[in-house]
Amino acid sequence: MSRRHPGGHALPDNPSWLEFPRSDGDVRALPKNTTKIVDSEGEVNYMRPIAMDESLAILWRVSVGAAVATRLGLPEGPKYVLKDWPTGYQFFDHNKGNAKSPRHDPYLYGSVHVNRFRSTNEFIPHAYWLMTDESLNRANCQCKYCTKQPQKVISDNMGLSARRSASIAAGLPRSAARASRGRRDADGKQRRQERSSTKPFAAVRRAPKPPKLLVGPTQYVSPERDIDIRTSICYHPMQRPRRYRKGELLWCHLDPPVSGPSPEEDISFWPGIVEEALIKAIPVPVALPDGDVNMEHLYAEAQDGNSDLGGPAHPSAPGSPILPPTAPVEAEGKVPWVVEQWYVYRIKLLGTSYIIHLREEEVLPYLAYAPSDVLLGRIQVELNAFLQDVPIEEMDRDLERHMFTFDPLGPADGEESAQKKYRQSAAPFTLGIQVASNIAQFWLPTDEWECTFTLPAPPAPSTSQQPIPSQPLALPPNVSLHSAIQQSLINNAMSPASMHAPNGSTTEPESISMAGRPSRSANKVPQTVVQTRFQGLWWGTERIWTDELVRLKIARSQFAPKGTDVIFPPAGPSASTIARAKASMGDEEFDLASFGAGERGLFLRLEGLVVVDVPVGDGQCNKECRASGMLYELVDEDWEEEEPLNQILDVSGKGKGKAREEPDVTMSISQGPGGPSFMAQPSPMKPPPLPKPDPTVPPSQTANDILSQTSPAAAASVETSQQPNRKLDLQLSHPVLSTHYPLPPASKGYRFRPILPPEHEVVISLSLISGRYYPGLLHHPLLQSARNDDNVLQYRHLWALDGLAPGVHQSMDPRAWKDSRLTMFQEADAEARDRFREKWEELKMGRLHPQEEMAGEDSYTAMDVD
């Protein structure tokens, strides 16, 4: 859609003219492409001079004149208008796009200090400076280009925020502008309401038992989800798991690095996007103790009549042809080698046009590395020097083509060539890490599906005059969660609604976002509900799926540190850990709890992603995506439960359990029904069509997976026959048929322990999710220095990725929702390039006008990187 300028602006009656007594303008700074030329594709791109009496010029002259007069303290009443532009200035209309309906953008050119002014708010501080500063000392100008400050800060300081810039107002008719202001006021009120409800949410509830499916499923599980999870937990001597997924951002190890002036300033890692994961295989010979390959089992008994193979010779029948010696016969199931497989990732390097292939050992998760301050400082210096030396035409061409031709893995022979390569890397490296930083701000739930279920009719309310109960009405046993929700609606209609947290506080109920939701009044007929749910999540730079383990930001000790009636208290250290601590610390006193699970991270098996309605006041609700599932803590591998679980928690609801002290928690942990579970077993979704077996997964595992998807009962019998009886705590860590996938391995020396009783789950806001769990990441060859360093605090962010520290020490914090992963990449790239182009335009003006007094090289700073 093209932007057009409205007409109808005229000079006021009896205007009071304002004239510029001085100017910093120069006609040589005016654009040269002022002729309309239509190219072969019907496009135009030129600057049309705007006369002083045109409507748009009058709009600018009136707006700037009124603002400057106010700053000058002129008397109120007269209509102040600029009589002319400063000497050397000219107003232009940039026409770009289709020749029949081009886009129009107004720009004011001519200043030797500023490339162009894009709005009246940008020009007003500069115009005031020209009116008042006889010395024309640029240090006294308060415009964004002379102060190098954001326009919003300048507008706020000068009281221009309430004014509409001419460049924006030019694109709207006056009626639309009034409507826009109304919408903006309404949006502002809504945003204030949203900000008032920013407290993270967490609730524990009894996991529902799904009703029997009367009809077969009609929606498919995402095949990508199934492959990503299965390959990530496939641990086999000849097959390594695939840790990273298509669309994720990684740090690619450069070997050799782009050498800087010192080793600390080398560029050893470059951000990139995974485009594809490829399988590589190689046969590894099975060697004998003396080093030779064992070939004996390749040969069967020699064929009769083939003496060359050691068999008895038999005379050939008369007239029969003489057969040559036959090839050796391979014994069935025996080969002198084994096949080893690994993954190679096809990665697009950000900020460049190059694609490289790297193995698992040559890449790191985005959260596992960050450029040091020393490196970023050197890159800014090199970027500034590079932009001072690069040919202007070359940089303009690269920015227009949206790519840099720099190759991070290209050769650099000699010291001079290495210095040149390092300087050339500054621009694409800066752009690449800025794009990656922008992508980390986005999130999106994916693979939407519709869950249809029926709420049974609630019992009719009693008509007798009875006191309203202070507690919710009791529910019959084995009732589904959706029935509980319906019963809760009835209770809410009878009494003020609230949910009780373990610390005694109450919270307002939050409804489930679903189509066809029944009214709050009791219905006497069953209600059919269609609810939107999701199978996956783009969380910043990471791809997360349901049914896998994710890290939470809070420490285990922050979540019910003393336990509740539905939450286990944090596990303490094992007996062996206590013995080692006493041996190392001697008689010195120490806190046993600091050696237990409370100081480590908290994990969530993500079993549900569902949308809920959160009240924000005035009867309004905001939609919020929440996660549900079982919580796990990390305990010592040899840790044993001190008390039977049925004595620690009263999971039967009959009051026979051991009462727990109310916890002193800093977050609200409510126990009301916060919404239905997501994909509780059995899944109401159809398994994916059975493809060819994945060569990366052992056949036994593939068979069990297929069997569990097509026949849960058959899978249960197979699993029961293949696995020995587990202890209760291990059974809870690996629930039978609760999911298709086992838990990933815990960090060496630890194991996962669920902290909720069976058939319970927690419901939390997505803001509490820290990111993916990377088992064994501390043993990555690129992180060897972190393993060998005794400074634990320095590498606490790496311990957090392995769950040995709370997730808050290294977490993903996306803030903006986008409608697709492609949109995330496009907007992140566009925003980074706009910032780079803006910095380049400022520096280019200084190079085009070297005669002007500048503050030297320090006048231009390199682009800040988030």
Side-chain angles (χ1 to χ4, degrees):
M1 181 180 294
S2 62
R3 178 188 292 180
R4 298 184 178 277
H5 302 317
H9 293 284
L11 290 173
D13 297 333
N14 302 319
S16 295
W17 302 111
L18 295 180
E19 298 185 52
F20 288 95
R22 61 195 64 83
S23 173
D24 65 338
D26 190 336
V27 294
R28 292 175 296 180
L30 300 180
K32 304 299 188 293
N33 57 330
T34 57
T35 303
K36 180 179 180 179
I37 299 177
V38 182
D39 60 18
S40 59
E41 298 180 356
E43 304 278 332
V44 296
N45 186 1
Y46 72 100
M47 295 287 185
R48 182 183 69 84
I50 299 178
M52 294 293 293
D53 56 353
E54 287 193 31
S55 174
L56 186 58
I58 293 175
L59 174 62
W60 273 57
R61 292 166 59 195
V62 172
S63 300
V64 176
V68 172
T70 300
R71 298 287 296 176
L72 293 174
L74 299 181
E76 298 182 1
K79 304 297 181 61
Y80 297 98
V81 182
L82 297 183
K83 187 174 184 180
D84 203 346
W85 306 116
T87 304
Y89 279 58
Q90 175 63 51
F91 199 34
F92 289 90
D93 176 16
H94 185 197
N95 290 249
K96 185 176 182 180
N98 189 287
K100 297 181 180 179
S101 57
R103 174 188 173 94
H104 298 271
D105 291 295
Y107 297 115
L108 183 62
Y109 282 87
S111 172
V112 298
H113 301 300
V114 180
N115 183 28
R116 61 189 176 186
F117 296 98
R118 298 176 295 181
S119 67
T120 55
N121 282 356
E122 288 188 1
F123 181 56
I124 287 172
H126 201 81
Y128 176 74
W129 171 65
L130 294 177
M131 289 282 190
T132 57
D133 190 2
E134 296 181 357
S135 65
L136 286 182
N137 183 358
R138 191 183 179 189
N140 298 327
C141 180
Q142 299 300 314
C143 77
K144 64 172 290 188
Y145 302 104
C146 294
T147 61
K148 304 190 185 311
Q149 292 183 348
Q151 181 60 41
K152 185 178 184 305
V153 175
I154 296 173
S155 298
D156 291 341
N157 293 338
M158 299 189 66
L160 303 175
S161 300
R163 302 177 183 271
R164 293 183 57 84
S165 66
S167 62
I168 298 177
L172 297 172
R174 296 182 180 181
S175 60
R178 288 192 297 270
S180 176
R181 283 194 296 270
R183 287 193 302 269
R184 188 169 64 251
D185 295 341
D187 293 342
K189 181 178 180 181
Q190 183 178 2
R191 285 194 297 269
R192 287 192 298 271
Q193 293 175 347
E194 292 175 356
R195 285 195 297 268
S196 64
S197 179
T198 58
K199 187 176 181 180
F201 175 86
V204 175
R205 65 187 182 192
R206 183 177 293 275
K209 295 181 178 180
K212 295 181 179 179
L213 297 177
L214 301 181
V215 296
T218 59
Q219 302 179 82
Y220 287 100
V221 173
S222 170
E224 182 183 3
R225 164 179 167 264
D226 181 64
I227 294 175
D228 281 350
I229 298 179
R230 285 199 294 125
T231 54
S232 68
I233 58 177
C234 175
Y235 291 87
H236 188 270
M238 294 295 107
Q239 170 62 45
R240 308 171 192 172
R242 175 164 66 87
R243 180 175 281 148
Y244 310 111
R245 296 156 184 181
K246 182 179 179 180
E248 288 190 323
L249 262 68
L250 306 176
W251 286 104
C252 306
H253 181 58
L254 302 182
D255 188 16
V258 182
S259 300
S262 65
E264 293 80 9
E265 297 169 337
D266 290 350
I267 301 178
S268 301
F269 291 89
W270 199 285
I273 301 173
V274 177
E275 293 189 341
E276 189 178 6
L278 306 173
I279 299 176
K280 296 295 182 180
I282 184 173
V284 180
V286 178
L288 293 173
D290 58 2
D292 293 335
V293 177
N294 185 5
M295 302 291 289
E296 292 180 359
H297 56 277
L298 275 181
Y299 299 93
E301 295 182 359
Q303 182 177 347
D304 287 346
N306 192 342
S307 59
D308 291 338
L309 293 178
H314 297 280
S316 301
S320 61
I322 299 177
L323 299 177
T326 59
V329 179
E330 182 179 337
E332 182 179 359
K334 295 182 179 180
V335 291
W337 63 81
V338 292
V339 177
E340 182 178 355
Q341 294 181 336
W342 68 92
Y343 285 96
V344 173
Y345 297 96
R346 185 174 186 265
I347 301 177
K348 169 68 168 58
L349 297 180
L350 295 180
T352 74
S353 58
Y354 286 90
I355 295 176
I356 61 176
H357 293 78
L358 296 177
R359 295 177 300 162
E360 188 99 14
E361 297 79 7
E362 298 174 305
V363 293
L364 286 176
Y366 182 77
L367 291 178
Y369 172 79
S372 65
D373 294 339
V374 175
L375 173 59
L376 292 179
R378 170 53 60 180
I379 287 296
Q380 289 190 353
V381 173
E382 295 295 336
L383 176 62
N384 189 37
F386 173 73
L387 295 181
Q388 292 284 4
D389 298 336
V390 66
I392 294 179
E393 298 78 8
E394 177 182 337
M395 179 58 66
D396 288 338
R397 182 181 66 252
D398 288 344
L399 292 177
E400 189 70 24
R401 291 163 52 191
H402 297 285
M403 68 174 60
F404 290 104
T405 58
F406 175 77
D407 181 9
L409 297 177
D413 300 329
E415 182 177 353
E416 183 177 351
S417 177
Q419 294 176 354
K420 181 180 179 181
K421 179 182 178 181
Y422 190 78
R423 178 160 296 182
Q424 290 175 342
S425 70
F429 183 68
T430 302
L431 183 63
I433 59 179
Q434 184 61 58
V435 172
S437 176
N438 293 342
I439 294 175
Q441 304 301 314
F442 302 143
W443 72 280
L444 170 70
T446 65
D447 299 278
E448 174 182 320
W449 64 286
E450 291 183 348
C451 178
T452 303
F453 53 89
T454 301
L455 297 179
S462 175
T463 58
S464 61
Q465 298 295 329
Q466 296 179 355
I468 297 177
S470 59
Q471 297 295 332
L473 299 179
L475 297 176
N478 299 328
V479 69
S480 69
L481 178 62
H482 310 302
S483 301
I485 295 174
Q486 180 65 20
Q487 183 65 61
S488 175
L489 295 176
I490 300 174
N491 295 339
N492 293 341
M494 299 171 57
S495 61
S498 63
M499 294 189 296
H500 297 269
N503 56 5
S505 63
T506 60
T507 58
E508 291 299 321
E510 297 169 1
S511 61
I512 308 302
S513 178
M514 48 193 173
R517 182 173 54 195
S519 64
R520 296 183 66 88
S521 61
N523 296 311
K524 298 183 179 181
V525 296
Q527 299 291 321
T528 300
V529 176
V530 179
Q531 186 182 62
T532 300
R533 301 180 181 181
F534 303 92
Q535 299 184 57
L537 179 70
W538 282 114
W539 196 240
T541 64
E542 298 179 340
R543 179 47 142 163
I544 295 176
W545 294 105
T546 54
D547 284 341
E548 67 176 349
L549 211 61
V550 296
R551 300 177 297 113
L552 301 185
K553 294 179 181 177
I554 57 178
R556 173 62 182 95
S557 59
Q558 294 177 288
F559 192 88
K562 300 179 182 179
T564 71
D565 55 340
V566 290
I567 305 175
F568 296 117
S574 64
S576 61
T577 301
I578 296 176
R580 288 193 299 268
K582 290 181 177 180
S584 62
M585 307 190 76
D587 297 333
E588 183 180 352
E589 295 185 359
F590 60 91
D591 183 12
L592 279 178
S594 62
F595 292 88
E599 300 301 319
R600 306 183 190 115
L602 190 62
F603 298 86
L604 169 72
R605 167 165 263 172
L606 184 60
E607 296 174 358
L609 286 171
V610 64
V611 177
V612 301
D613 290 330
V614 180
V616 294
D618 298 336
Q620 303 294 323
C621 290
N622 288 337
K623 292 188 179 300
E624 178 181 325
C625 189
R626 289 181 178 168
S628 64
M630 174 60 73
L631 287 176
Y632 292 88
E633 65 182 4
L634 205 59
V635 301
D636 295 335
E637 194 171 24
D638 56 347
W639 178 84
E640 296 181 358
E641 195 80 56
E642 296 180 358
E643 304 177 61
L645 296 184
N646 58 359
Q647 295 183 16
I648 296 179
L649 297 182
D650 177 18
V651 298
S652 64
K654 298 180 180 179
K656 295 182 180 180
K658 179 180 178 180
R660 280 283 153 189
E661 183 180 354
E662 295 295 338
D664 183 16
V665 293
T666 59
M667 55 184 298
S668 174
I669 307 174
S670 57
Q671 303 175 38
S677 176
F678 173 81
M679 295 182 66
Q681 181 72 18
S683 170
M685 302 181 68
K686 184 186 298 183
L690 299 181
K692 295 180 180 179
D694 193 330
T696 67
V697 180
S700 59
Q701 181 177 341
T702 301
N704 290 338
D705 288 342
I706 295 175
L707 188 60
S708 65
Q709 294 177 10
T710 55
S711 177
S717 62
V718 172
E719 185 171 355
T720 303
S721 63
Q722 292 180 352
Q723 296 183 1
N725 295 330
R726 297 193 182 105
K727 294 181 180 179
L728 181 56
D729 57 342
L730 294 179
Q731 179 69 40
L732 293 175
S733 297
H734 305 277
V736 178
L737 281 184
S738 64
T739 181
H740 298 311
Y741 314 102
L743 284 173
S747 186
K748 186 176 181 181
Y750 300 93
R751 62 179 173 87
F752 293 114
R753 176 212 183 202
I755 66 172
L756 304 178
E759 301 182 0
H760 283 69
E761 62 183 4
V762 69
V763 182
I764 63 172
S765 300
L766 291 188
S767 59
L768 291 177
I769 294 180
S770 182
R772 288 185 58 192
Y773 166 56
Y774 298 94
L777 183 65
L778 289 176
H779 297 279
H780 197 289
L782 296 177
L783 301 178
Q784 183 176 0
S785 59
R787 295 197 307 270
N788 300 334
D789 198 318
D790 294 333
N791 189 354
V792 177
L793 294 180
Q794 180 180 355
Y795 298 101
R796 187 166 50 184
H797 63 288
L798 297 178
W799 290 72
L801 295 179
D802 211 14
L804 299 177
V808 69
H809 295 300
Q810 189 67 312
S811 64
M812 198 68 65
D813 295 295
R815 298 179 177 88
W817 175 92
K818 298 299 175 183
D819 58 3
S820 70
R821 189 61 166 174
L822 178 60
T823 302
M824 296 181 189
F825 290 142
Q826 291 175 340
E827 294 192 9
D829 183 78
E831 195 274 340
R833 292 183 183 277
D834 287 344
R835 292 182 61 178
F836 191 95
R837 185 178 290 106
E838 182 177 351
K839 181 60 60 178
W840 164 246
E841 292 292 341
E842 294 182 16
L843 195 144
K844 183 172 68 173
M845 286 300 300
R847 293 179 57 180
L848 291 175
H849 305 283
Q851 72 280 6
E852 296 297 326
E853 290 187 4
M854 312 300 289
E857 293 186 359
D858 293 338
S859 299
Y860 299 98
T861 58
M863 183 179 71
D864 293 334
V865 180
D866 293 338

